């Protein structure tokens, strides 16, 4: 296991996601130095001041505004810069705007000579992870997208709420695209190792209708749209999801997370970034785990991949 000595993260984009992530990291305490970069200088300085004013309540850390030179000795560089979804807009609609921004940002990050792990949150996150991989020329294990880590968390929370068990005892994954074509892996989902066909038979909650899979997955898939309609943006849960990934990297935790990253033949797919459960540690993505999917899940994953490939084909990187 690694230590948290002198660990440094650079967050590019001090917007809602970047700042909430910084706040969550401050409380978590895994990084001793949190550097933030944003084109909007006034916003950046405001966020840094606000965060620093809470320092007496957390483990001591340095939180400051920085420059791309800070990436040189960073352990993790997190990309949250870019436009966010407007009500009714899909993540794919954001693509051309955010690709242009990334051409600028990733060029500056790599020019610093950094050996950091790059962690991408900007949407559409699978495509932006692929764009980052190509623009940086980094090895695939060092370019990670937050992928469906958040979606898997949403799924686990909703199952746990329905079945009245702690979310951490629900084992369920969403794989594929972080977006409309994402795939819930119901065939392997379980509580305490017991699949739902058996679990529902012994469950004491007595809902009398089994697990309402369509209802639950509908909520997962439409969560971002609903939150954006309600309050304009999503940032708390993604802030925590990014913290989980960054912590697994810096502490070499080998956590299994549904991050996005380059596929090299898993499930018959290659040359695209999508989420499958992956072991995440100090060197980035250490291993990708191919699940034993049902025929229907495999077909849905293929459909997700075809969609991503189509969009990738239109990219001018
Ligand atoms: P936001 O508008 O609050 O913040 C974006 C920030 O990026 C702004 O402060 C802006 O000034 C900055 N920025 C823009 N261009 C820049 C550049 N060239 N260099 C440096 N900074 C630049 O948006 P947000 O709500 O924080 O969302 C950020 C991104 O995260 C969006 O793409 C959003 O869709 C995505 N997101 C992803 C997930 C996920 O699960 N992966 C969840 C929520 C949001």
């Amino acid at each position: 296991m690694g230590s948290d000595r002198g660990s440094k993260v650079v967050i590019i984009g001090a917007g809602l996601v970047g700042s909430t992530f910084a706040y969550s990291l401050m409380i978590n305490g895994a990084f001793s130095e949190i550097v933030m970069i944003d084109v909007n200088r006034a916003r950046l300085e405001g966020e840094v001041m606000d965060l620093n004013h809470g320092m007496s309540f957390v483990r001591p850390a340095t939180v400051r505004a920085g420059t791309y030179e800070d990436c040189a000795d960073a352990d993790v560089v997190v990309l949250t810069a870019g436009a966010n979804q407007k009500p009714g807009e899909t993540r794919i609609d954001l693509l051309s705007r955010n690709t242009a921004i990334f051409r600028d940002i990733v060029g500056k990050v790599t020019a610093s000579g950094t050996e950091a792990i790059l962690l991408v949150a900007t949407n559409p996150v699978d495509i932006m992870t692929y764009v980052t991989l190509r623009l940086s020329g980094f090895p695939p294990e060092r370019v990670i997208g937050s992928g469906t880590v958040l979606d898997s968390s949403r799924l686990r929370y909703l199952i746990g709420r329905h079945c009245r068990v702690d979310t951490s005892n629900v084992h369920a994954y969403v794989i594929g695209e972080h977006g409309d074509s994402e795939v819930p892996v119901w065939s392997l989902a379980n509580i305490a190792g017991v699949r739902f066909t058996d679990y529902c038979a012994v469950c004491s909650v007595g809902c009398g209708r089994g697990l309402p899979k369509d209802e639950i997955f509908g909520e997962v898939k439409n969560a971002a749209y609903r939150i954006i309609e309600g309050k304009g943006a999503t940032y708390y849960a993604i802030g925590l999801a990014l913290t989980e990934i960054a912590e697994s990297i810096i502490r070499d935790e080998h956590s299994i997370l549904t991050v996005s990253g380059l596929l090299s033949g898993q499930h018959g797919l290659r040359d695209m970034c999508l989420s499958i459960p992956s072991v995440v540690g100090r060197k980035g993505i250490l291993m990708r785990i191919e699940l034993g999917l049902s025929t229907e899940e495999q077909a849905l994953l293929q459909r997700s991949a075809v969609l991503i490939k189509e969009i990738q084909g239109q990219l001018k990187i």
Side-chain angles (χ1 to χ4, degrees):
M1 294 290 149
S3 80
D4 59 0
R5 175 190 47 85
S7 47
K8 177 177 180 181
V9 61
V10 174
I11 304 171
I12 303 171
L16 291 167
V17 172
S19 304
T20 311
F21 170 48
Y23 177 65
S24 163
L25 272 187
M26 245 177 85
I27 296 168
N28 167 283
F31 286 84
S32 55
E33 193 173 0
I34 301 170
V35 179
M36 300 176 79
I37 296 174
D38 200 291
V39 281
N40 184 340
R41 195 73 206 174
R43 182 174 190 171
L44 175 64
E45 281 170 6
E47 294 292 0
V48 167
M49 274 179 78
D50 198 3
L51 288 163
N52 273 312
H53 294 169
M55 199 58 76
S56 66
F57 308 115
V58 297
R59 279 173 69 192
T62 302
V63 180
R64 62 179 174 83
T67 67
Y68 283 91
E69 283 168 19
D70 278 297
C71 297
D73 62 349
D75 299 291
V76 185
V77 174
V78 186
L79 291 87
T80 75
N84 62 5
Q85 269 170 285
K86 303 281 171 286
E89 190 180 44
T90 68
R91 294 179 180 95
I92 301 295
D93 292 335
L94 291 175
L95 180 59
S96 52
R97 281 193 281 161
N98 285 342
T99 303
I101 292 173
F102 267 44
R103 217 169 273 127
D104 175 43
I105 291 175
V106 178
K108 289 175 182 159
V109 172
T110 49
S112 74
T114 186
E115 293 192 359
I117 307 295
L118 306 187
L119 173 56
V120 181
T122 303
N123 275 321
V125 71
D126 301 291
I127 305 276
M128 297 317 299
T129 305
Y130 186 79
V131 166
T132 304
L133 184 68
R134 291 288 167 253
L135 289 173
S136 66
F138 282 12
E141 66 274 14
R142 274 177 56 202
V143 182
I144 304 178
S146 59
T148 55
V149 173
L150 172 57
D151 313 71
S152 294
S153 171
R154 285 174 175 149
L155 182 68
R156 292 171 63 199
Y157 160 70
L158 290 166
I159 294 173
R161 190 181 67 177
H162 178 83
C163 299
R164 296 200 209 149
V165 295
D166 181 344
T167 302
S168 65
N169 299 120
V170 177
H171 307 285
Y173 296 118
V174 175
I175 61 169
E177 181 204 6
H178 167 63
D180 297 338
S181 72
E182 64 191 24
V183 182
V185 185
W186 288 117
S187 67
L188 300 172
N190 69 80
I191 289 177
V194 183
R195 299 213 180 143
F196 284 98
T197 33
D198 298 325
Y199 187 85
C200 292
V202 297
C203 167
S204 62
V205 172
C207 73
R209 56 183 183 140
L211 194 64
K213 291 180 187 165
D214 291 347
E215 193 180 304
I216 287 178
F217 182 56
E219 259 198 71
V220 171
K221 211 165 87 167
N222 295 317
Y225 295 114
R226 279 191 56 197
I227 296 168
I228 289 166
E229 250 177 65
K231 62 173 213 166
T234 77
Y235 40 92
Y236 291 123
I238 181 64
L240 288 166
L242 290 170
T243 301
E244 178 89 358
I245 303 167
E247 191 181 17
S248 189
I249 294 168
I250 201 64
R251 293 173 54 79
D252 200 22
E253 285 179 348
H254 293 216
S255 299
I256 295 178
L257 300 164
T258 49
V259 289
S260 189
L262 192 72
L263 290 173
S264 52
Q266 296 88 352
H267 298 286
L269 306 172
R270 56 182 73 247
D271 194 33
M272 68 181 73
C273 292
L274 282 179
S275 293
I276 57 174
S278 309
V279 181
V280 177
R282 191 66 191 83
K283 293 195 168 141
I285 297 180
L286 306 177
M287 184 181 149
R288 310 216 79 194
I289 300 169
E290 214 167 328
L291 298 172
L293 301 177
S294 70
T295 313
E296 193 194 348
E297 290 159 354
Q298 178 66 29
L300 288 171
L301 183 62
Q302 290 293 337
R303 207 190 60 180
S304 192
V306 167
L307 191 102
I308 293 288
K309 256 282 162 56
E310 232 175 73
I311 297 160
Q312 251 175 231
Q314 297 160 22
L315 274 180
K316 292 187 186 76
I317 305 175

